[in-house]
Amino acid sequence: MKQLSKFAVAMSMAVGCSQAFAAASIFVVEPGSDGFNIHTAAFNGSSYDITKLVFDFTTTVTSDASHLVIDGSPSSIGAPAGGTATFFGSGAVFGFDFTSFNSFESFNFQWDPDSAINGAYGATGADFIGGTVTAFTTNGLYKGTFELVGTGPDVAAGLSPYTSSVVPEPMTGASLLAGLGVLGLVARRRRS
């Protein structure tokens, strides 16, 4: 029952976001506009273990025309049940390595994000918009971007399976080459 309630909370956070959330199975949420005291949570709705989460805020835009950074480490970390979460990185790109982050488990951390040009910046969830989260899982990468939930102030990133490039099947490549060959022959005949 506890696992179902966690899933229901994660799904309700996703309501109001774009269609990208439809295929998402890992959610990272930042509820509210509670500056200086950000509680970020992740929920693993996939059937695979998460081994690492990477947060990248280099593309966010804060109200002082900068981007979010973390200086130091989080003030508290709530590791997934039965596992550990180890913080790494600094600045606009940071993350956590996990020893065990299984399906239907959650993870959270509390931190005080600043802007890259203001160490006393009072960040809110709205400053997360445009930031990306990448989950390394036992089934490859999952990736998502923070978006506003409904009219706000909550933001969430729905992570879906990610492939960096499309690699064509061998038969597709052979068909392409054969097609180009035929086009070359047709063009040659027309010239003669």
Side-chain angles (χ1 to χ4, degrees):
M1 186 66 176
K2 187 176 181 181
Q3 292 176 343
L4 289 176
S5 65
K6 288 179 185 177
F7 183 70
V9 168
M11 292 304 291
S12 67
M13 291 297 296
V15 173
C17 290
S18 75
Q19 291 294 347
F21 277 49
S25 57
I26 299 173
F27 295 92
V28 179
V29 297
E30 171 45 46
S33 55
D34 53 352
F36 295 106
N37 201 15
I38 302 290
H39 298 271
T40 304
F43 172 76
N44 185 2
S46 77
S47 56
Y48 307 101
D49 284 355
I50 297 175
T51 58
K52 179 187 291 192
L53 277 178
V54 177
F55 293 81
D56 184 349
F57 291 105
T58 55
T59 59
T60 61
V61 180
T62 55
S63 62
D64 63 359
S66 183
H67 59 268
L68 289 183
V69 296
I70 186 170
D71 51 357
S73 59
S75 55
S76 70
I77 298 174
T84 62
T86 306
F87 174 76
F88 66 84
S90 64
V93 181
F94 62 91
F96 300 86
D97 287 311
F98 301 99
T99 56
S100 177
F101 191 171
N102 300 316
S103 299
F104 299 114
E105 290 183 344
S106 61
F107 155 74
N108 62 74
F109 64 102
Q110 182 176 341
W111 59 305
D112 174 18
D114 296 318
S115 82
I117 59 176
N118 182 357
Y121 185 78
T124 65
D127 292 309
F128 282 51
I129 296 171
T132 60
V133 184
T134 303
F136 294 75
T137 76
T138 53
N139 188 46
L141 294 179
Y142 282 63
K143 196 167 189 169
T145 303
F146 279 106
E147 300 177 21
L148 198 61
V149 177
T151 58
D154 303 334
V155 294
L159 283 63
S160 301
Y162 176 77
T163 54
S164 59
S165 63
V166 177
V167 178
E169 294 288 327
M171 288 303 293
T172 305
S175 297
L176 176 63
L177 288 174
L180 288 173
V182 169
L183 287 176
L185 286 174
V186 169
R188 189 172 184 190
R189 282 184 166 220
R190 285 189 180 172
R191 273 188 268 160
S192 60

